[in-house]
């Protein structure tokens, strides 16, 4: 069981809750959602409690995150996009901290479950659709009809645009989910090699240096991926929100 | 009914737990029985997170950054103001210096002019005095000269009269004498 690379994704109930036959138990996944939220809020509030004109180290980390997301959103969706800043910032911080929490041994990675990443992706897409229609009315549908395309090609291009729009929540969620899942499985497999090789005696212990090196390198890579996927999720969110604000492209 | 479902899911869970790797069917991320719970807790935690971010953390960060921006802008304008003050002070100093220089120049030229005028006046006065003295001297000389000349006539008359008396034994008349003298002297 210890070497089962899938075991780490198992959801275990902590407080079983059931309403109308549906299982709403507080699980290890729920626990880590709460921990992610609590840790992020605590960090952001604690680090800014000094309200220093000259920031302390922790405060400048919070400021960097804030200005990084603000810059990303502003460059993708313009000043008008800043109305979605709280949403984008929350998404970025939530995904980033959840991904980084997953890097701790024995911690559960909430973003390694497709339903979580899909829910976050749908939150973005529904925001785009609702705000897009609210702001532009029927002109929002121009998103699917690019200007300057020959009439003969228009049905085909529109079809492609619709398909690409519909695939957005899937690609957005699967990208994050698959990256986290695959990364954690790979790490687990390589670290599993170390244990099983060392069990083979002197040669095995010597041979296990290779997977050990791989595990170390993969850990570094996974930290990069944890940040990068949070960033990619945020950038794509910003770009989709830009579509809601400026549908004609 | 609810209790029954609960026990079956519990049972399923137990079953999935052990042979998951062998069957491959119980891949946890695709286990739909956990979806409801994950969605509910994600909704709750993310909503709370969003609320805290929007109402506590972000206004705080925005406030801090705003304060810093304002402070920097304030410092900049203060620095500009001080620079302007310095420039004004330098300009005033230079103006005062130029004025002082002009004034000094004026005083120097005034003094020079005054001294020149004084000298001129003194010189003129001295010259006038000298001229007066010269005139007086000339007058004196000419007085002496006329006096001497008048005496010459008298002396010449006397001498002539004495000579004539000696020569002819008779003194000439005064009219003859003066006539004769006149003819000689002219």
């Amino acid at each position: 069981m210890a070497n089962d690379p899938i075991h780490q994704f198992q959801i275990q109930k902590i407080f079983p809750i059931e309403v109308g036959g549906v299982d709403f138990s507080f699980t290890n996944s729920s626990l880590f959602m709460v921990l992610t939220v609590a840790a992020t809020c605590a960090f952001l509030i604690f680090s800014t409690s000094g309200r220093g004109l000259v920031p302390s180290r922790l405060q400048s980390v919070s400021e960097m995150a804030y200005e990084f997301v603000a810059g990303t959103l502003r460059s993708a969706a313009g000043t008008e996009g800043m109305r979605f800043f709280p949403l984008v910032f929350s998404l970025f911080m939530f995904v980033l901290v959840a991904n980084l929490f997953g890097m701790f041994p024995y911690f559960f990675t909430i973003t390694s479950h497709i339903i979580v990443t899909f829910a976050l992706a749908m939150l973005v897409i529904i925001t785009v659709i609702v705000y897009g229609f609210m702001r532009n009315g029927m002109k929002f549908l121009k998103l699917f009809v690019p200007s300057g395309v020959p009439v003969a090609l228009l049905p085909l291009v529109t079809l492609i645009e619709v398909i690409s729009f519909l695939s957005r929540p899937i690609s957005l969620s699967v990208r994050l989910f698959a990256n986290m899942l695959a990364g954690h499985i790979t790490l687990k497999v390589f670290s599993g090699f170390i244990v099983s090789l060392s069990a083979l005696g002197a040669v095995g212990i010597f041979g296990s240096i290779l997977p050990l090196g791989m595990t170390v390198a993969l850990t570094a890579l996974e930290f990069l991926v944890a940040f990068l996927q949070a960033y990619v999720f945020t950038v794509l969110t910003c770009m989709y929100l830009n579509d809601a604000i400026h549908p004609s492209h | 009914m609810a209790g029954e479902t609960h026990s079956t899911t519990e049972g399923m869970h137990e079953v999935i737990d052990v042979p998951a790797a062998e069957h491959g069917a119980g891949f946890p991320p695709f286990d739909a029985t956990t979806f409801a719970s994950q969605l509910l807790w994600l909704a709750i935690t993310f909503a709370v997170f969003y609320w805290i971010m929007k109402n506590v953390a972000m206004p705080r960060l925005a406030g801090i950054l705003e304060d810093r921006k304002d402070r920097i802008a304030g410092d900049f304008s203060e620095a500009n103001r001080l620079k302007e003050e310095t420039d004004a002070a330098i300009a005033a100093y230079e103006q005062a210096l130029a004025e002082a220089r002009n004034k000094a120049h004026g005083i120097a030229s005034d003094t020079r002019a005054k001294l020149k005028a004084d000298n001129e006046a003194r010189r003129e006065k001295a010259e006038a005095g000298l001229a007066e003295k010269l005139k007086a001297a000339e007058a004196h000389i000419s007085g002496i000269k006329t006096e001497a000349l008048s005496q010459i006539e008298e002396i010449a008359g006397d001498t002539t009269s004495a000579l004539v008396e000696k020569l002819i034994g008779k003194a000439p008349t005064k009219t003859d004498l003066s006539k004769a003298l006149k003819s000689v002297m002219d």
Side-chain angles (χ1 to χ4, degrees), chain A residues 38-58:
Chain A
T40 315
C41 292
F43 177 79
L44 287 177
I45 291 169
F46 170 74
S47 67
T48 54
S49 61
R51 290 169 188 270
L53 200 64
V54 177
S56 62
R57 254 186 269 184
L58 292 182

Side-chain angles (χ1 to χ4, degrees), chain B residues 5-149:
Chain B
T5 326
H6 179 74
S7 61
T8 37
T9 41
E10 276 285 273
M12 266 172 70
H13 201 75
E14 296 288 321
V15 172
I16 291 160
D17 234 22
V18 187
E22 290 158 28
H23 288 145
F27 186 55
F30 296 148
D31 179 6
T33 56
T34 64
F35 283 5
S37 146
Q38 290 196 63
L39 284 175
L40 174 75
W41 288 101
L42 177 67
I44 293 171
T45 51
F46 193 76
V48 170
F49 186 64
Y50 179 80
W51 189 88
I52 294 174
M53 286 299 109
K54 195 182 175 189
N55 295 300
V56 184
M58 292 177 71
R60 224 152 135 161
L61 278 161
I64 290 169
L65 295 172
E66 189 75 10
D67 280 356
R68 183 170 312 144
K69 216 168 96 188
D70 286 354
R71 175 68 185 271
I72 289 170
D75 283 358
F76 258 116
S77 65
E78 175 72 5
N80 271 340
R81 197 181 60 73
L82 289 176
K83 190 175 174 288
E84 266 162 30
E85 256 175 32
T86 314
D87 285 352
I90 288 172
Y93 162 76
E94 257 162 21
Q95 203 187 332
L97 193 68
E99 264 169 23
R101 203 174 282 146
N102 277 348
K103 211 169 164 186
H105 203 258
I107 289 170
S109 65
D110 274 4
T111 313
R112 207 176 297 131
K114 202 173 147 201
L115 285 176
K116 205 173 163 190
D118 266 12
N119 278 349
E120 199 78 359
R122 221 173 292 153
R123 195 170 57 84
E124 261 167 26
K125 206 173 156 193
E127 273 174 1
L130 282 175
E132 219 157 80
K133 272 183 187 159
L134 203 63
K135 221 183 245 168
E138 267 169 7
H140 188 65
I141 289 165
S142 71
I144 291 169
K145 203 174 163 187
T146 34
E147 203 179 324
L149 279 173

Side-chain angles (χ1 to χ4, degrees), chain A residues 110-181:
Chain A
I110 53 180
T111 45
S112 67
H113 275 251
I114 181 82
I115 190 69
V116 171
T117 60
F118 187 72
L120 293 174
M122 280 316 285
L123 175 66
V124 172
I125 299 300
I126 289 169
T127 308
V128 167
I129 294 173
V130 169
Y131 183 74
F133 277 117
M134 248 172 60
R135 187 180 180 279
N136 307 293
M138 281 301 130
K139 279 187 189 156
F140 179 61
L141 294 175
K142 270 191 184 167
L143 181 64
F144 304 114
V145 190
S147 53
V149 175
V151 182
L153 284 176
L154 209 55
L156 183 66
V157 173
T158 307
L159 184 68
I160 292 170
E161 289 284 339
V162 170
I163 292 171
S164 92
F165 187 84
L166 291 178
S167 64
R168 275 176 185 183
I170 298 163
S171 67
L172 192 59
S173 53
V174 169
R175 186 181 298 110
L176 177 58
F177 152 71
N179 267 287
M180 299 321 291
L181 183 84

